[in-house]
């Protein structure tokens, strides 16, 4: 190992991020083979051709690195970009996966291929299947993996569909953030196996859920921490919806004393609101002048094109904020109701929630699986 690599492994071990089970893999898999020649990880870009010592230090810093196809950190909007996650975050997620030799793993979201390489070292190439939706990213990952001496199966496809040709798996590790856990992951995991994924919504960046698959095709498990570092949002219609509010459409106007502090800015409150409104898109539009403290929160249901706008003006705090609503769903009223339910439950932290996934519905529960907080089909 080069000195920077050795120092990284030692630091991760001392900090408790890297367990003995994964230390050898992190020692033997060179991270720099999965990184571009220009690294923009934690400050000014470092170009390997101009500052090779600095580049090596950046390559083995405990920071995420943006990687653009073609070898550059940023290649423009037409080129796909992924992240090489911070090694400490990746080490913690891999430890939560609790794998052992003989297990078969499906990784969703190959990205640079660094995670697939670590899994291949630990379990063997034949035990690892990795699916990447972007063809160019998948091809780059294959090249990097071969350069590092690994040959797991890397396929180009929609990872939310899993990869039935190699099922059943013992573990599914999703490196993409999903709003709804795809049932295909559960169906392709054998009983007793587990699905580890970042679960997100429009109001919250996401949490990590650890689901155990039961004997009858249902998976259940708790939130075990923050979302997987570097997890990209899955490509779904909701993630691509932009603010769509026609000023000439009919709407009702009300006022509210509810401020954004808990249902929008508080991570626990926002998470709870989001799980009650899983199909609603949340966007915030700030004033053009950075010194202007006013802004507007939009709630949008793309399925019915209902929308609500919640105008936040600090000068209106005492008299109430203006709310406009359009369409068959009263989205702001739904937000108020979701926030109130969270308050009545004692403002629980998001780590107290859990998720049950079955073929036709998903249940969000609080503390115990029978204490249903939200459900969706």
């Amino acid at each position: 190992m080069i000195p920077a690599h050795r120092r990284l492994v030692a630091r991760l071990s001392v900090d408790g991020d890297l367990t003995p089970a994964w230390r050898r893999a992190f020692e033997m898999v060179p991270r720099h083979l999965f990184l571009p020649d220009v690294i923009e990880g934690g400050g000014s870009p470092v170009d390997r051709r101009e500052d090779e010592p600095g580049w090596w230090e950046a390559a083995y810093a405990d920071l995420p690195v943006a990687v653009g196809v073609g070898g550059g950190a940023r290649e423009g909007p037409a080129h796909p970009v992924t992240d090489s996650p911070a090694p400490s975050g990746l080490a913690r997620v891999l430890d939560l996966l609790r794998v052992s030799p003989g297990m078969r793993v499906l990784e969703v979201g190959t990205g640079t291929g660094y995670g697939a390489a670590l899994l291949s070292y630990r379990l063997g190439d034949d035990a690892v299947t990795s699916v990447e939706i972007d063809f160019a990213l998948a091809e780059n990952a294959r090249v990097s993996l071969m350069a590092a001496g690994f040959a797991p199966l890397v396929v180009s496809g929609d990872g939310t569909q899993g990869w039935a040709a190699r099922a059943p798996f013992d573990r599914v590790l999703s490196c993409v953030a999903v709003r709804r856990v795809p049932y295909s992951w559960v169906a392709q995991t054998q009983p007793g196996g587990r699905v580890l994924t970042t679960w997100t919504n429009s109001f919250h960046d996401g949490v990590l859920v650890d689901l155990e698959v039961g004997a009858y095709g249902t998976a259940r498990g708790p939130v075990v921490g923050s979302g997987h570092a570097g997890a990209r949002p899955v490509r779904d219609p909701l993630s691509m919806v932009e603010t769509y509010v026609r000023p000439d459409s009919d709407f009702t106007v009300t006022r509210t004393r509810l401020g954004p502090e808990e249902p929008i800015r508080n991570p626990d409150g926002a998470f709870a609101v989001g799980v009650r409104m899983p199909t609603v898109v949340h966007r915030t539009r700030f004033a053009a002048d950075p010194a202007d403290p006013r802004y507007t929160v939009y709630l949008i249901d793309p399925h019915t094109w209902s929308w609500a706008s919640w105008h936040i003006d600090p000068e209106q705090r005492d008299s109430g904020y203006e709310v406009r609503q359009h369409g068959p769903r009263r989205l702001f009223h739904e937000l108020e109701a979701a926030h109130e339910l969270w308050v009545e439950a004692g403002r629980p932290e998001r780590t107290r929630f859990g998720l049950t996934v079955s073929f036709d519905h998903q249940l969000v529960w609080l503390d115990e699986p029978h204490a249903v907080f939200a459900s969706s089909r």
Side-chain angles (χ1 to χ4, degrees), residues 265 292-295 311-319 321:
R265 295 178 182 170
D292 189 340
R294 296 173 297 178
Y295 61 94
H311 185 63
I312 308 300
D313 183 346
E315 295 184 357
Q316 296 178 344
R317 180 182 298 273
D318 294 335
S319 60
Y321 306 108

Side-chain angles (χ1 to χ4, degrees), residues 111 132 134-146 154 156:
E132 171 58 54
D134 193 285
F135 178 84
L137 287 176
E139 185 60 26
N140 270 28
R142 291 188 195 99
V143 172
S144 297
L145 284 160
M146 285 190 291
V154 177
S156 302

